[in-house]
Amino acid sequence: MRTLTLLMALILGLLTTPGEENSGLTKENGYVINLDRAEKLEKMTYSSLFSKAGIIVLEDTDESLLGKVDKLEVCDNNLYVLEKGRGLFLFNKQGKFIKMIGRKGKGPGEYIDPGDISVDRENKKIYVLDSQTQNVLKYSSNGTFESSFKLENKGTRSTFIQPFKNALYTNLYTFDESGKRFLLSKVDVTNGKRISFQFEASQYNKGWNELFSTDQHTFISGPTGNPKFMQIFMDTIFEITPKGIKPYITLQSKKLVTKEYLETLIAENDMSKSVRVSKIYDRLMKTDKIYNVFDYWETGKYIHFSYHVGFYGYSILYKKEENKAYVMPGITDDLLYTDKAGALLIPKLYSFDEDRVYCIGMNDGFTKDIFLENMKKGGINPRIEGADKLQTLTEDSNPIIIYYEFKR
């Protein structure tokens, strides 16, 4: 049986001396994980971390038929499903379609190109970023439009958002390369004005500040605690707190991508920016450098994330109480699959709450074909929750949500 690891998206962070404008950075160090010293494991199973798996089949009506899920947020009994460029769809945790939140257009509560969503769990609000107009729209948890504002952009652009403590944080791409190029900004939610700027790219991101198309979010928002911030070549995951921003997880390894290595790649690819970015990414896929963090989730006992060395993915499980990290080529999904399965797809993680991690399956033609073929072979465990609904699935069905429940 062979495992096909789907290519995940890029993201990470780097700790250096703070020198930002209005940064509010604190000096607490958080967790330090040395990837080179992590204990190597040949194998770990999902059943060692999770008690069970389940399937949520998203109802496919004429209004809720999805081409692809690009972002999933979970809050209370609600599933907020974003298809970029199309719209935001509200389902409940049983998969029943409730309504579409907002619509395509230029009127109040409407958007042209919805590119990101984020949930303010404290105030039960939903924020949508219109990538084209740079408008941010706010809705109640049931999808009622409340207000909107336009981001203050002076030679900048944002692609990801994160509400926190009555403010909004965004990532930043700066078109003007002559001055400072910040990676993070705090925004006033009443008027869209940028209150502060943090993380100058040359210090915190190996000098990288490009519009790199990724599916991975730069913010991690769990069910409790403070949101986290990462960027593409950073070696530290930062925590946004009411008192400022501080390091949460600092990664150490001799194989991490360095600023000098990136400068060498850029010098070797002196061409148009779009072609250069593509060429650099191709080189990274073939390198022995560590350059990705994805599939992050956290509980009171564990921190989990994955990273790439070249094309290949590795998983880290950090046990907080033991202050010990374990690294493995991957985790075997013995909850979803049986020994009759053919190719095994590792579902991409999209969200997590206090009880579960939520992944997306059947999200394109390739993954649909493999999942449906495994169903025919008896390769999908018939004892998973929601298994009775699997027989309704066809190649025209909506993507499905696969969840794994944490052990207590």
Side-chain angles (χ1 to χ4, degrees), residues 65-251:
L65 194 59
L66 297 163
K68 184 176 185 290
V69 174
D70 293 296
K71 180 79 182 289
L72 170 68
E73 287 276 15
V74 180
C75 185
D76 298 330
N77 193 45
N78 293 330
L79 304 173
Y80 301 95
V81 177
L82 174 70
E83 183 176 347
K84 286 184 178 181
R86 180 154 173 246
L88 176 59
F89 301 79
L90 174 60
F91 297 83
N92 65 21
K93 280 190 176 179
Q94 292 69 50
K96 180 176 176 55
F97 176 62
I98 307 300
K99 65 185 294 186
M100 188 170 183
I101 298 178
R103 294 196 179 276
K104 296 291 286 290
K106 298 182 180 180
E110 297 178 337
Y111 36 67
I112 296 174
D113 182 22
D116 190 33
I117 60 170
S118 192
V119 175
D120 178 353
R121 290 180 173 82
E122 183 178 10
N123 297 306
K124 306 298 181 183
K125 305 297 180 184
I126 313 302
Y127 287 83
V128 177
L129 172 64
D130 187 332
S131 297
Q132 184 176 129
T133 65
Q134 292 288 279
N135 287 333
V136 177
L137 301 91
K138 182 173 74 171
Y139 304 86
S140 67
S141 60
N142 65 7
T144 301
F145 173 68
E146 295 187 354
S147 62
S148 66
F149 58 84
K150 188 178 183 66
L151 292 175
E152 179 187 38
N153 284 332
K154 297 178 179 177
T156 59
R157 179 181 177 83
S158 296
T159 54
F160 297 111
I161 55 175
Q162 175 65 56
F164 182 65
K165 298 298 180 184
N166 298 314
L168 187 78
Y169 291 83
T170 79
N171 71 328
L172 275 180
Y173 168 70
T174 304
F175 296 97
D176 183 4
E177 299 185 14
S178 62
K180 290 185 176 181
R181 310 182 78 194
F182 293 101
L183 303 173
L184 178 69
S185 179
K186 184 178 180 180
V187 175
D188 187 327
V189 295
T190 64
N191 54 28
K193 292 188 179 296
R194 298 194 182 272
I195 301 169
S196 64
F197 299 86
Q198 295 87 22
F199 301 117
E200 209 280 317
S202 63
Q203 296 184 51
Y204 288 88
N205 201 37
K206 320 289 176 64
W208 188 266
N209 180 228
E210 303 291 348
L211 276 176
F212 207 135
S213 176
T214 68
D215 293 326
Q216 183 75 22
H217 208 278
T218 57
F219 297 100
I220 301 168
S221 179
T224 58
N226 301 315
K228 313 299 187 295
F229 174 75
M230 302 182 295
Q231 268 280 10
I232 189 171
F233 291 121
M234 300 170 78
D235 302 333
T236 299
I237 299 171
F238 287 90
E239 181 179 30
I240 302 171
T241 80
K243 295 183 179 180
I245 301 173
K246 64 179 183 179
Y248 189 68
I249 301 174
T250 301
L251 302 180

Side-chain angles (χ1 to χ4, degrees), residues 313-332:
Y314 294 84
S315 294
I316 285 284
L317 185 71
Y318 178 74
K319 295 186 177 181
K320 296 178 180 178
E321 293 179 358
E322 300 177 16
N323 188 27
K324 190 167 184 179
Y326 299 85
V327 62
M328 61 220 82
I331 305 179
T332 302

Side-chain angles (χ1 to χ4, degrees), residues 264-273 275-276 279-280:
T264 300
L265 294 187
I266 292 171
E268 291 175 354
N269 293 277
D270 186 15
M271 53 193 72
S272 70
K273 184 172 291 188
V275 174
R276 182 177 70 192
K279 292 285 187 182
I280 290 172

